[in-house]
Amino acid sequence: MDRTTQEETGACMSMAGHDEGFAAELRAATRSDHGENETSAYMAALVGGRLGGDEYAALIEQLHPVYELLERAAEALADDPVAGPFALPGLARLRALETDLAHFRGPRWRERVALLPSTARYCDRLRDVAFDWPGGFVAHHYTRYLGDLSGGQFIGRQVRRVLGLGEDDPGVLFYRFEGKPKDYKDAYRALLDAAPWDAAERARVIDEVRTAYRFNAEMAADLSRALSIEPAA
Ligand code: HEM
């Protein structure tokens, strides 16, 4: 295990948070919801090196409409003083996902994508809450992008290793950010801490992050069923 992986894993184990501000409160309050995602059969098989490119592409096919909506919502809320700044320059993932999908599925990849029922429900929820409720946008944005900058970096290394791809190769560009993930995470957590939300609004945001984690777990469960992936023995 390299140093970054150790840091990520160590940080994961101490996800209890510290009494420091909303970023720590949110992290601590949703720790077990995150755990369900980490241990899903699909994600465990992915990080365990048991999936090939085709099965990996099945995940990013489902993530594509999620990021499309998140990034459209970011545009819609760009001028909102609270939500706007969370869309940090360099975070957007949609173009990378599209390049990765073209790598695995060919230039006409869009024609064969079939949304899983959980993805369709996830997208409905994003349409309902991420476009005109700043806290709802931040809840969903946080769940995906802070994840991509955190455990996502570990997942990316595993996927690259298994598929024999380098950091700059199409197929795994989704995981490559310009600059250090830690710098984005520090800036993101500072924004969470600075959000002018009272206790009731913070509780609503935490609830919505739980909802977002649940959609991700349901998507992983749907993928396991669709691809007949069994939990590791
Ligand atoms: C095998 C799957 C996964 C592994 C191994 C994993 C691992 C981790 C680790 C180690 C961290 C802490 C890193 C740090 O503090 O710097 C983390 C944070 C996080 N992960 Fe995951 N993760 C997985 C799946 C997911 C999924 C599916 C999501 C959501 C869609 C997600 C969302 C997050 C978020 C939002 C954080 C940041 C928590 C915070 O600091 O506020 N993770 N993950």
Side-chain angles (χ1 to χ4, degrees):
M1 191 185 278
D2 63 29
R3 194 164 156 265
T4 327
T5 310
Q6 268 175 348
E7 276 167 12
E8 280 163 4
T9 312
C12 183
M13 291 181 186
S14 61
M15 271 176 81
H18 325 277
D19 230 4
E20 285 161 357
F22 185 53
E25 183 188 342
L26 174 59
R27 180 185 221 214
T30 56
R31 184 183 183 188
S32 62
D33 307 85
H34 176 274
E36 282 167 31
N37 275 278
E38 217 174 322
T39 53
S40 73
Y42 179 91
M43 294 312 288
L46 183 65
V47 297
R50 290 185 281 125
L51 302 186
D54 219 34
E55 291 156 314
Y56 171 63
L59 169 67
I60 57 172
E61 267 175 0
Q62 301 303 312
L63 290 178
H64 180 265
V66 170
Y67 282 84
E68 196 163 47
L69 282 165
L70 283 169
E71 291 178 18
R72 272 186 19 220
E75 274 172 35
L77 290 173
D79 294 332
D80 182 275
V82 178
F86 282 91
L88 296 165
L91 267 194
R93 301 286 86 201
L94 192 64
R95 295 292 157 251
L97 271 176
E98 291 178 349
T99 308
D100 291 348
L101 279 162
H103 167 81
F104 290 112
R105 303 292 204 216
R108 299 173 70 178
W109 59 270
R110 283 176 194 272
E111 292 170 18
R112 55 162 289 183
V113 176
L115 287 199
L116 292 165
S118 50
T119 310
R121 288 193 299 273
Y122 192 173
C123 290
D124 284 346
R125 183 73 185 172
L126 287 170
R127 283 186 204 95
D128 284 349
V129 304
F131 283 78
D132 50 16
W133 170 31
F137 166 75
V138 172
H140 284 278
H141 193 265
Y142 158 86
T143 308
R144 283 300 334 172
Y145 294 84
L146 216 64
D148 298 335
L149 291 161
S150 305
Q153 295 301 297
F154 169 66
I155 297 169
R157 273 198 296 282
Q158 300 297 86
V159 172
R160 287 200 296 271
R161 189 178 53 77
V162 170
L163 302 182
L165 294 171
E167 255 179 63
D168 296 331
D169 288 339
V172 287
L173 292 176
F174 177 61
Y175 300 102
R176 201 203 59 192
F177 289 87
E178 293 298 330
K180 290 189 195 141
K182 183 174 184 308
D183 293 342
Y184 289 97
K185 290 202 298 186
D186 288 349
Y188 206 100
R189 289 188 177 125
L191 288 168
L192 285 170
D193 286 342
W197 294 324
D198 62 13
E201 182 64 2
R202 284 180 171 200
R204 281 182 77 208
V205 172
I206 289 172
D207 265 3
E208 195 58 34
V209 168
R210 292 212 171 95
T211 300
Y213 273 127
R214 203 172 61 240
F215 282 123
N216 280 277
E218 286 173 8
M219 185 191 279
D222 269 358
L223 279 169
S224 304
R225 269 190 295 275
L227 302 170
S228 303
I229 295 166
E230 301 292 337

